[in-house]
């Protein structure tokens, strides 16, 4: 590749150096020195002619660009691998977080179900105990009602017996009073018939 560059440089040098022999062509027509001077300025640019040194510099620059490009490609590859590792790490982290979230939800659901089961069991126990106590209370109320009815009946019987005893006593008193009144009438008739006075007077006073 360096040889091709040198060939191109030499071809350029030959093409540039070819116009130099045409300079003495205007001999027939005399011209002033002032007119020739501007024509010679574009013809003689020897410092501008390319030399082999720039070709070498260009080659060196191309050689220097190759490792830079390789370095940039390596950096891009390294950056790509770093980005890939970061993406994989992020995906792994998200996967782990989703698993942790799912485990948390499952544990919470398990705790809730366990608590609900225990609460339901306690509710059933409470209802059964209340039903048993209410049944016992109802039974006691029935027994009390029965005893109350029996006691009321007993009291009524006692009242009836007391009333009967009172009536019997009243009847006895009435009978005795009648007997005593009859006896007093008989004695009064006897005293009247005999003309005697009773020994006791005003006994009722």
């Amino acid at each position: 590749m360096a040889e091709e560059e040198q060939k191109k440089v030499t071809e350029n040098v030959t093409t540039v150096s070819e116009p130099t022999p045409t300079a003495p062509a205007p001999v027939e027509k005399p011209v002033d020195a002032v007119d020739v001077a501007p024509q010679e300025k574009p013809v003689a640019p020897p410092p501008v002619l390319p030399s082999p040194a720039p070709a070498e510099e260009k080659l060196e620059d191309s050689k220097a660009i190759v490792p830079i490009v390789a370095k940039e490609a390596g950096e891009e590859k390294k950056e790509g691998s770093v980005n890939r590792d970061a993406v994989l790490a992020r995906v792994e982290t998200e996967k782990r977080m989703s698993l942790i979230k799912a485990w948390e939800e499952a544990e919470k659901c398990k705790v809730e179900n366990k608590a609900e089961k225990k609460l339901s069991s306690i509710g059933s126990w409470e209802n059964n105990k209340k039903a048993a106590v209410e049944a016992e209370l109802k039974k006691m109320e029935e027994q009390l009602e029965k005893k109350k009815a029996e006691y009321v009946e007993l009291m009524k019987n006692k009242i009836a017996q007391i009333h009967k005893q009172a009536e019997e006593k009243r009847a006895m008193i009435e009978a005795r009073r009648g007997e005593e009144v009859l006896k007093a009438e008989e004695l009064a008739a006897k005293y009247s018939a005999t003309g005697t006075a009773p020994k006791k007077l005003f006994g009722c006073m």
Side-chain angles (χ1 to χ4, degrees):
M1 184 140 183
E3 292 177 357
E4 292 177 358
E5 292 291 333
Q6 290 178 359
K7 287 179 180 181
K8 289 180 181 180
V9 170
T10 53
E11 288 176 358
N12 292 329
V13 171
T14 53
T15 53
V16 174
S17 60
E18 284 177 358
T20 51
T22 58
V27 178
E28 295 177 356
K29 189 177 180 180
V31 290
D32 295 335
V34 178
D35 295 331
V36 174
Q39 293 178 357
E40 291 177 353
K41 282 184 180 180
V43 174
V48 184
L49 293 175
S51 61
E56 293 178 358
E57 290 178 358
K58 187 175 181 181
L59 184 60
E60 290 178 359
D61 292 338
S62 64
K63 289 181 180 180
I65 290 169
V66 170
I68 292 171
V69 172
K71 186 177 180 181
E72 290 179 354
E75 289 179 354
E76 289 178 357
K77 186 176 180 181
K78 186 177 180 181
E79 185 178 357
S81 63
V82 170
N83 292 334
R84 182 172 176 274
D85 294 338
V87 171
L88 291 175
R90 185 171 67 253
V91 170
E92 189 67 23
T93 302
E94 291 176 356
K95 183 178 179 181
R96 185 171 63 254
M97 293 302 294
S98 64
L99 289 175
I100 292 171
K101 188 68 175 178
W103 176 85
E104 182 183 0
E105 293 296 330
E107 288 296 320
K108 286 182 179 180
C109 184
K110 190 188 295 183
V111 170
E112 290 292 333
N113 291 334
K114 188 176 181 180
E116 289 294 331
K117 187 175 180 180
K118 287 185 177 181
L119 290 173
S120 178
S121 177
I122 291 170
S124 300
W125 174 82
E126 183 182 8
N127 292 332
N128 292 333
K129 288 293 181 181
K130 284 182 177 180
V133 171
E134 288 176 357
E136 186 176 358
L137 179 61
K138 188 175 180 180
K139 185 177 179 180
M140 290 179 66
E141 288 177 352
E142 290 176 356
Q143 291 178 355
L144 288 173
E145 289 293 332
K146 186 177 180 180
K147 287 182 178 180
K148 182 180 178 181
E150 292 176 356
Y151 188 74
V152 169
E153 188 67 23
L154 181 62
M155 293 299 104
K156 287 181 178 180
N157 292 335
K158 283 186 177 181
I159 291 171
Q161 189 176 0
I162 291 169
H163 182 69
K164 183 179 179 181
Q165 290 177 359
E167 290 296 326
E168 289 177 354
K169 287 181 179 181
R170 288 191 188 95
M172 288 176 65
I173 291 170
E174 290 292 334
R176 185 178 293 177
R177 185 178 65 179
E179 290 177 357
E180 289 178 355
V181 168
L182 183 58
K183 186 178 180 181
E185 288 177 353
E186 289 177 353
L187 288 173
K190 184 178 178 182
Y191 288 140
S192 296
T194 58
T196 57
K199 295 179 180 180
K200 296 180 180 180
L201 296 175
F202 311 107
C204 63
M205 297 178 67

